[in-house]
């Protein structure tokens, strides 16, 4: 009889396996000594001073890890300028960029006059935050913007921009395979299978099976019958989901010659 594997060894193996599979889900801390800069331009006065301080700290922290400025601009747009042109001119005028003028930046612009929001990614942000990814971010913050929960919406914008820039261009960051809970569940299942196999093998193998008592010379199929009953086809109309906050548009090029990705919608 085989010697049983000690339970402590089995548990240690399971824990090691789970750590190996879950480790990529734990974000690495990469604190930056870079000087904090102002990234919140609340011209429409939608935020309290404390809100602006907290959002600015969050934008600086995540921006340092992605080497990209996460900028927020709110405006009453008294001149009723198109929101895309307004965003482009703002980028050109402020000479935005993480480590240089006209560098990596993503801007969320809120036009309170026309109830529109526009997201634009420049340079590295244009590469990693494509029109499609910006559409996804905008769709996920529209409900908060509509209800006036601006701070929460801006926090989600910064966090989602940071998260999406962690995936290579062309990859769908919303794929379930990248979901942390899904990966944790898979790791637990795999760990359970490994432990089960180790426990099973530790008790020796069973050598008796169906063939042990089967007389193959006298065994055969007695009868087989297939009966067709009917086929039923059901048709159902699939409704389209058009609740996307009135999205549209895309990227473009500023009057200063800086191209960008973009996503436009109402709230």
């Amino acid at each position: 009889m085989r010697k049983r594997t000690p339970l402590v060894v089995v548990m240690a193996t399971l824990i090691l396996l789970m750590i190996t599979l879950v480790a990529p889900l734990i974000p690495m801390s990469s604190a930056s000594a870079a000087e904090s800069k102002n990234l919140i331009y609340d011209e429409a006065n939608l935020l309290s001073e404390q809100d602006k301080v907290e959002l600015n700290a969050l934008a600086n922290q995540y921006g340092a890890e992605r080497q990209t400025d996460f900028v927020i601009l709110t405006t009453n747009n008294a001149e009723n300028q198109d929101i895309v042109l307004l965003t482009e001119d703002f980028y050109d005028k402020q000479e935005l960029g993480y480590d240089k003028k006209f560098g990596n930046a993503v801007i969320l612009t809120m036009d309170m006059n026309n109830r529109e929001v526009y997201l634009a990614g420049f340079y590295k942000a244009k590469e990693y935050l494509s029109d499609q990814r910006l559409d996804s971010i905008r769709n996920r913050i529209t409900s908060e913007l509509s209800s006036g929960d601006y701070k929460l919406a801006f926090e989600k914008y910064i966090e989602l921009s940071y998260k999406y820039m962690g995936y290579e261009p062309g990859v769908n960051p919303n794929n379930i395979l990248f979901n942390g809970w899904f990966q944790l569940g898979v790791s637990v299942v795999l760990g359970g299978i490994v432990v089960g196999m180790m426990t099973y093998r530790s008790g020796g193998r069973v050598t008796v099976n169906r063939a042990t008592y089967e007389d193959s010379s006298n065994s055969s199929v007695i009868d087989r019958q297939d009966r067709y009953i009917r086929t039923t086809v059901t048709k159902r109309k699939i409704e389209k989901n058009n609740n996307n906050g009135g999205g549209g548009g895309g990227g473009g090029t500023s009057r200063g010659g800086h191209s960008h990705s973009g996503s436009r919608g109402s709230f």
Side-chain angles (χ1 to χ4, degrees):
M1 180 178 292
R2 293 189 176 185
K3 186 177 180 181
R4 288 182 174 274
T5 304
L7 180 60
V8 65
V9 175
V10 175
M11 294 303 297
T13 303
L14 174 59
I15 293 172
L16 181 61
L17 177 63
M18 292 181 65
I19 291 175
T20 302
L21 292 172
V22 177
L25 305 180
I26 303 175
M28 297 297 291
S29 176
S30 56
S32 171
E35 201 173 302
S36 178
K37 65 175 79 171
N38 179 44
L39 300 171
I40 312 301
Y41 299 83
D42 184 27
E43 298 176 2
N45 295 317
L46 304 180
L47 304 167
S48 69
E49 289 301 319
Q50 183 63 28
D51 289 343
K52 286 188 280 188
V53 169
E54 293 176 1
L55 287 169
N56 197 63
L58 184 67
N60 273 275
Q61 175 191 342
Y62 283 162
E65 297 188 29
R66 295 291 184 246
Q67 297 187 336
T68 300
D69 277 351
F70 298 135
V71 181
I72 295 171
L73 168 65
T74 72
T75 175
N76 290 318
N77 195 11
E79 298 179 359
N80 200 29
Q81 189 177 16
D82 182 81
I83 192 171
V84 177
L85 185 59
L86 189 154
T87 304
E88 294 171 344
D89 287 349
F90 178 76
Y91 177 85
D92 290 343
K93 180 181 178 181
Q94 297 294 330
E95 301 179 335
L96 297 175
Y98 171 72
D99 56 354
K100 63 180 181 179
K101 296 178 180 180
F102 306 117
N104 307 328
V106 56
I107 306 172
L108 181 154
T109 302
M110 281 191 64
D111 174 4
M112 299 304 295
N113 185 24
N114 297 294
R115 302 287 295 181
E116 281 192 301
V117 59
Y118 185 67
L119 279 71
F122 293 83
Y123 293 97
K124 182 181 179 181
K126 176 187 176 184
E127 180 182 2
Y128 283 84
L129 297 178
S130 62
D131 295 351
Q132 292 73 26
R133 290 186 179 184
L134 290 179
D135 281 341
S136 179
I137 294 172
R138 181 179 54 77
N139 287 333
R140 293 179 66 175
I141 66 174
T142 297
S143 61
E144 284 81 8
L145 294 178
S146 299
S147 62
D149 197 348
Y150 302 122
K151 184 186 177 184
L152 178 58
F154 296 155
E155 286 176 343
K156 289 175 67 175
Y157 148 71
I158 294 171
E159 291 167 354
L160 287 170
S161 297
Y162 167 83
K163 174 185 174 183
Y164 286 7
M165 289 188 73
Y167 297 95
E168 288 299 316
V171 174
N172 179 9
N174 295 318
N175 191 311
I176 191 174
L177 295 178
F178 299 129
N179 183 279
W181 288 109
F182 175 80
Q183 294 181 3
L184 179 60
V186 170
S187 70
V188 171
V189 171
L190 290 177
I193 292 174
V194 171
V195 172
M197 292 178 62
M198 293 178 65
T199 303
Y200 171 76
R201 292 183 176 180
S202 68
R205 297 189 177 185
V206 178
T207 58
V208 177
N209 55 38
R210 181 176 60 82
T212 304
Y213 304 104
E214 181 180 289
D215 184 357
S216 58
S217 61
N218 294 318
S219 299
S220 61
V221 177
I222 298 177
D223 190 17
R224 180 167 59 191
Q225 184 181 49
D226 294 326
R227 178 178 296 176
Y228 172 78
I229 300 177
R230 66 179 178 275
T231 299
T232 303
V233 179
T234 303
K235 294 183 178 181
R236 181 170 63 90
K237 180 180 179 181
I238 300 177
E239 301 291 341
K240 293 184 178 179
N241 181 11
N242 294 318
N243 185 21
N244 59 0
T253 303
S254 72
R255 289 190 276 201
H258 305 284
S259 62
H260 60 87
S261 56
S263 175
R264 178 178 191 165
S266 59
F267 64 93

